Amino acid sequence: MTNPLLEPWDTPFDMPPFDRIEDGHFMKAVETALVQAREAVEAIASNPETPSFTNTIEALETADETLGRVLGVFYNIAGADTNDERQELSREFSPMLSAYSSDVAMNTALFARIEALWQSRDTLDLTGEQQRLLYLTRRRFVRAGAELEGIAKDRLRSVTERLSSLGVQFTQNLLADERDWMMELTEDELEGLPDFVIDAARAAGAERGVKGPVITLSRSIIVPFLQFSPRRDLRERAHAAWTARGANGGETDNRAIAAEILELREERAGLLGYDDFAEFKLETEMAKTPEAVRELLMKVWEPARDRAVEDGLRLSAMMHNDGVNGDLEPWDWRYYSEKRRMAEHDLDESEIKPYLQLDRMIEAAFDCANRLFGLDFAPVDVPLYHPDVRAWEVTRKGEHIAIFLGDYFARGSKRSGAWCSAIRSQKAGVRPIVVNVCNFAKPSKGKPALLSYDDARTLFHEFGHALHQMLSNVTYESISGTSVARDFVELPSQLFEHWLEVPEVLTKYATHADTGAPMPDEMRDRLLAASTYDMGFHTVEYLGSAIVDLEFHTGEAPEDPIARQQEILDGIEMPKAIGMRHATPHFAHIFSGDGYSSGYYSYMWSEVMDADAFAAFQEAGGPFDPDMAEKLERHILSAGGSQEAADAYIAFRGRMPGPEALLKGRGLDAV
C-alpha cells in the first residue's frame, strides 16, 4: 500500500494531500520517518570528519525532516479534528517521540561535536544567525540532559517520557469532558436569551444529534448563556459543569495527573541542577527569574483586585434589587455585569453582534495586513482536513508568501480554545502553511456566523500569530516564526488586536448582517469607550491562574495541587465571586505540555510590550504608519528567534517599556 505521507507531494503549494491521507497511514509513516531520522543523526555523530557548522549543526536541522512533515499534518488534525483512532495514535506516538528526542539529546558523540564547535565558535566565521543557531542548539542539548551521566541520565530519560505521556492523557481527558457534557433546554428555558444565543444552541444541538437546543462547554456558547440567561439555577448548573472539567472522577479525572506532572517537573529540574522548575523554565525567557515574574504580576494584581471588589459590590446590589438574597456567586457575575454594561454604556450584545460577522472580520484582518505589510489573500480550492476549513494563498507583489488556513467553528472533535500552528514552517526556500483554529459558535444553516467583540479580538489575536509565521524570513527552521521566548511570542498576537480597535477599521468592516449598514458611529464609539469595562474581573481571573501556575512550580511540588491552589488564592485574597480562568484540572496551558508551564504570565509580560508598541504607531503617523510597520516586520515578525527577544524589541522601539502602558490600557492606572 502506498503511503501519501511518505511520497513527494505533487500538489498545489506542496499542500498535504488530505484527500488521500487516512488514519491508517500515520503509524507506518512515523515509524519509517523515525528510522530515517535515527540513521541521519547517527551519521552525523559518527562522521569521521572534523566537526563543522555544516556537517553538524546544519545537518541536524534536516535530520528529521520527514518526521517533521508527517507530524506537522498529524498533530494539526489531532487537535482540530480528532477521533478515537487519532487519540490512540497520540498515546502511542508520545513515548516513541520522547525516546527519540532523548536518544538524540543524550548522544555522547553528537554532543561532543556540538561542544567542540561551541568552544571554537570565535574561529568559525559564522553569520549572526548561525551563531545564534549554534548557541540555541547547544543550550537545547544541555537542558535536555546531554551533560548528565549514568543513573541521572537514565532517570531524566524516564521522567521526560512519562511527562510526555501524561500531557497527552491530560489533554484527552479534558476533551472527553468537554465533548460529553451538554444541557438540553426546553423552549421555556430559552426565555430571555438573545436570538444569537438561541441560534447557536440549536446549531449545537444539531451537531450533537439532539432535536432541540443545547448548551455545551464551548466557550462561545456557555459564556453568552451565563451573560444572558435569567435562570439562576441553569446558570449555576452550566457554570458547575464548566469549572468541573477534568475533575469529575473516573477515568477522565486530571487531578492525580496534575500532581504527578508537578512532581516529575520538580525532579527534572533537580536532575539538571536547578532549585525548582520555575528557575529552570524561566532561564530562557525574557523574565529570567520567578522573582521578576512575581513582581510584575503583583504590581498589576493589587489595582485589578481593588477594581474587581468595587465592581462586585455594585453587582451584588443589582442582584439584591432583583430579590435574590445571599452572596454574588461566579455564575452571577457575567449576568449582572452584562446588565450593568447595558445601563452604563448602552451596549446590548444582541445589538452589537449582527455587526460583527465572521466573514467581515476575516476581511478586516486581511485588510489590516495588506495596509501594514502589503499582503494579499486569495481563496484557493485545495483538499483540506475538514469541510469547515478554508484556505487562502498569501502573496506580496505577486510573490508567494504562505498558505493560510482558517478553521473557525467549534465541534466535538476539536479541543477547546484558539491557537495558531504551522503544518509547515518557514526556512530558506520553503514558505509556510499556517493554521488559525478557533471555536466560534457555528450558525444554523443559511445564517451568517456572528461574533462577540471578544470573539473578534480572538480572531485578530490568532491572526497576529499567523503573521509572525507567514512573514518569517530566516534560513533555519528551528528559529523561524514563533520559535521565540514564550514571554515574547504573544507580542505579535496581542499587538495585532489593537487594529480591531481602530475606528476606521470598524467603520468599514462592522456591517449589519441583515441590512449591510455600517455600525453607527455612536455605537462604535460606545463600544470602544467600553473596551476597559469589567477589566477588574478579566484581569483578576487571568492573574489568579498565572499566579497559581508560578507558585505551583516554585519550591517543592505540592502533594495536593487542588489544596495548594486554594491556599495560593486565599493568600492573594481572590474575590469569592471570581474563579480562575483555568483551574488546575482543566489548565491545559500548563499541563498538556511544557509550553506555558511557569509561563502563563507570558500574556501579561507581552502586554507590557504590545501596549508600548502600538503607542509607537500612534506617536508616529498613526496605526498604519509605513515606517513603523516596516520596522515591526524587520525586527520582530520576520526575525523569528534569530536574536534575543529583548534585543529585537529594543531594535524596534529603542528601549524596553515599563508596566505603565499596560495599566493604562486596562483602565487600571487610576485605581
Side-chain angles (χ1 to χ4, degrees), residues 371-524:
R371 295 179 65 183
L372 288 164
F373 310 114
L375 301 179
D376 294 302
F377 298 79
V380 291
D381 184 12
V382 292
L384 298 166
Y385 61 85
H386 191 276
D388 286 345
V389 185
R390 302 156 69 177
W392 294 266
E393 182 189 9
V394 187
T395 60
R396 180 158 53 186
K397 297 180 180 178
E399 179 187 358
H400 176 74
I401 297 296
I403 291 294
F404 174 66
L405 308 184
D407 183 356
Y408 295 109
F409 296 127
R411 53 180 173 265
S413 62
K414 183 189 289 187
R415 63 180 171 89
S416 61
W419 64 92
C420 176
S421 59
I423 291 177
R424 181 177 68 226
S425 296
Q426 181 270 328
K427 63 180 178 180
V430 175
R431 298 311 305 170
I433 301 171
V434 184
V435 190
N436 272 179
V437 183
C438 299
N439 271 282
F440 303 140
K442 190 173 184 178
S444 299
K445 189 174 181 179
K447 294 189 176 183
L450 304 179
L451 306 182
S452 68
Y453 193 62
D454 282 345
D455 287 339
R457 289 177 68 94
T458 296
L459 187 149
F460 268 66
H461 178 102
E462 298 306 332
F463 192 71
H465 282 308
L467 288 172
H468 202 178
Q469 295 271 22
M470 292 188 289
L471 291 173
S472 178
N473 186 24
V474 297
T475 304
Y476 303 105
E477 181 177 344
S478 63
I479 56 174
S480 72
T482 56
S483 300
V484 298
R486 182 65 61 175
D487 48 10
F488 190 68
V489 77
E490 297 298 337
L491 169 60
S493 55
Q494 292 179 180
L495 175 58
F496 198 68
E497 291 180 32
H498 289 276
W499 274 272
L500 177 61
E501 301 172 351
V502 174
E504 64 186 272
V505 173
L506 284 174
T507 297
K508 183 175 182 180
Y509 290 101
T511 56
H512 199 280
D514 295 329
T515 68
M519 180 182 286
D521 289 351
E522 51 85 20
M523 178 185 287
R524 179 204 64 201

Side-chain angles (χ1 to χ4, degrees), residues 515-566:
T515 68
M519 180 182 286
D521 289 351
E522 51 85 20
M523 178 185 287
R524 179 204 64 201
D525 293 344
R526 283 186 280 115
L527 179 63
L528 294 176
S531 62
T532 61
Y533 173 72
D534 213 16
M535 196 54 74
F537 169 85
H538 294 295
T539 306
V540 161
E541 68 161 5
Y542 161 77
L543 283 174
S545 294
I547 293 168
V548 166
D549 167 43
L550 180 65
E551 299 305 330
F552 268 175
H553 294 100
T554 303
E556 293 185 7
E559 293 184 10
D560 184 346
I562 304 302
R564 177 61 178 143
Q565 170 185 291
Q566 191 58 51

Side-chain angles (χ1 to χ4, degrees), residues 12-148:
F13 313 109
D14 295 322
M15 283 283 292
F18 286 111
D19 55 338
R20 297 173 52 216
I21 295 172
E22 300 174 2
D23 289 343
H25 292 135
F26 282 111
M27 179 56 78
K28 180 62 176 177
V30 168
E31 290 175 339
T32 301
L34 275 172
V35 170
Q36 293 176 359
R38 288 181 179 278
E39 291 174 349
V41 169
E42 183 54 36
I44 298 168
S46 60
N47 189 341
E49 297 179 6
T50 301
S52 70
F53 187 85
T54 300
N55 69 24
T56 302
I57 305 301
E58 284 188 340
L60 271 175
E61 280 287 296
T62 59
D64 56 5
E65 196 168 49
T66 300
L67 181 63
R69 185 174 75 152
V70 173
L71 295 178
V73 175
F74 176 75
Y75 282 115
N76 271 276
I77 64 174
D81 189 30
T82 196
N83 56 33
D84 290 343
E85 186 170 357
R86 291 169 191 171
Q87 291 193 53
E88 177 59 30
L89 286 169
S90 292
R91 292 191 291 270
E92 293 181 10
F93 289 162
S94 176
M96 294 165 60
L97 297 174
S98 180
Y100 165 72
S101 296
S102 293
D103 288 343
V104 174
M106 296 180 181
N107 185 313
T108 303
L110 178 60
F111 182 65
R113 296 179 68 86
I114 296 170
E115 185 65 17
L117 291 171
W118 176 250
Q119 295 301 330
S120 61
R121 60 191 180 279
D122 293 337
T123 68
L124 299 179
D125 192 28
L126 302 179
T127 67
E129 188 175 328
Q130 289 172 334
Q131 292 174 25
R132 178 71 173 166
L133 181 59
L134 173 58
Y135 165 75
L136 292 174
T137 301
R138 179 184 181 275
R139 187 179 74 178
R140 184 176 75 248
F141 272 70
V142 170
R143 287 171 60 82
E147 294 182 320
L148 297 181

Side-chain angles (χ1 to χ4, degrees), residues 189 193 224-232 234-235 335:
E189 291 168 344
L193 295 176
F225 181 77
L226 293 172
Q227 283 178 291
F228 292 104
S229 175
R231 288 283 301 271
R232 193 180 191 223
L234 297 180
R235 296 200 311 266
Y335 178 71

Side-chain angles (χ1 to χ4, degrees), residues 35-342:
V35 170
Q36 293 176 359
R38 288 181 179 278
E39 291 174 349
V41 169
E42 183 54 36
I44 298 168
S46 60
N47 189 341
E49 297 179 6
T50 301
S52 70
F53 187 85
T54 300
N55 69 24
T56 302
I57 305 301
E58 284 188 340
L60 271 175
E61 280 287 296
T62 59
D64 56 5
E65 196 168 49
T66 300
L67 181 63
R69 185 174 75 152
V70 173
L71 295 178
V73 175
F74 176 75
Y75 282 115
N76 271 276
I77 64 174
D81 189 30
T82 196
N83 56 33
D84 290 343
E85 186 170 357
R86 291 169 191 171
Q87 291 193 53
E88 177 59 30
L89 286 169
S90 292
R91 292 191 291 270
E92 293 181 10
F93 289 162
S94 176
M96 294 165 60
L97 297 174
S98 180
Y100 165 72
S101 296
S102 293
D103 288 343
V104 174
M106 296 180 181
N107 185 313
T108 303
L110 178 60
F111 182 65
R113 296 179 68 86
I114 296 170
E115 185 65 17
L117 291 171
W118 176 250
Q119 295 301 330
S120 61
R121 60 191 180 279
D122 293 337
T123 68
L124 299 179
D125 192 28
L126 302 179
T127 67
E129 188 175 328
Q130 289 172 334
Q131 292 174 25
R132 178 71 173 166
L133 181 59
L134 173 58
Y135 165 75
L136 292 174
T137 301
R138 179 184 181 275
R139 187 179 74 178
R140 184 176 75 248
F141 272 70
V142 170
R143 287 171 60 82
E147 294 182 320
L148 297 181
E149 298 178 353
I151 295 175
K153 177 177 283 193
D154 292 340
R155 179 56 186 162
L156 182 61
R157 181 194 301 271
S158 298
V159 166
T160 303
E161 292 180 13
R162 178 62 176 162
L163 281 170
S164 177
S165 296
L166 288 172
V168 172
Q169 188 177 351
F170 187 99
T171 302
Q172 293 187 355
N173 287 349
L174 179 56
L175 177 62
D177 278 5
E178 291 171 343
R179 182 190 60 227
D180 294 345
W181 187 89
M182 64 179 177
M183 181 172 69
E184 297 185 51
L185 299 178
T186 66
E187 292 301 313
D188 289 344
E189 291 168 344
L190 297 175
E191 184 179 349
L193 295 176
D195 289 343
F196 74 85
V197 178
I198 297 173
D199 183 52
R202 293 193 190 282
E207 198 259 340
R208 297 289 183 102
V210 177
K211 290 184 178 180
V214 302
I215 299 302
T216 70
L217 297 180
S218 170
R219 188 178 185 90
S220 61
I221 293 179
I222 197 167
V223 168
F225 181 77
L226 293 172
Q227 283 178 291
F228 292 104
S229 175
R231 288 283 301 271
R232 193 180 191 223
D233 58 329
L234 297 180
R235 296 200 311 266
E236 181 178 5
R237 181 180 165 196
H239 187 272
W242 196 30
T243 55
R245 292 169 293 158
N248 288 305
E251 294 183 354
T252 63
D253 197 294
N254 277 332
R255 287 171 287 191
I257 294 175
E260 186 178 355
I261 287 174
L262 293 173
E263 181 181 358
L264 290 173
R265 284 177 179 165
E266 180 190 6
E267 183 179 1
R268 176 184 174 191
L271 288 167
L272 292 168
Y274 295 86
D275 289 340
D276 54 39
F277 187 80
E279 182 186 81
F280 164 73
K281 187 66 187 298
L282 294 173
E283 179 186 49
T284 61
E285 310 300 337
M286 292 185 75
K288 300 301 181 188
T289 67
E291 292 74 24
V293 174
R294 190 175 291 107
E295 180 181 359
L296 172 65
L297 296 181
M298 297 313 298
K299 191 171 291 186
V300 182
W301 171 259
E302 293 180 10
R305 183 187 179 281
D306 289 346
R307 175 65 59 79
V309 170
E310 177 185 325
D311 290 344
L313 292 174
R314 296 185 183 183
L315 301 184
S316 293
M318 294 173 63
M319 185 179 76
H320 296 154
N321 287 339
D322 277 354
V324 180
N325 297 319
D327 295 334
L328 183 76
E329 299 289 351
W331 50 89
D332 298 316
W333 191 292
R334 287 179 171 85
Y335 178 71
Y336 284 100
S337 179
E338 184 63 27
K339 280 191 167 188
R340 181 185 167 201
R341 186 173 78 144
M342 180 64 185

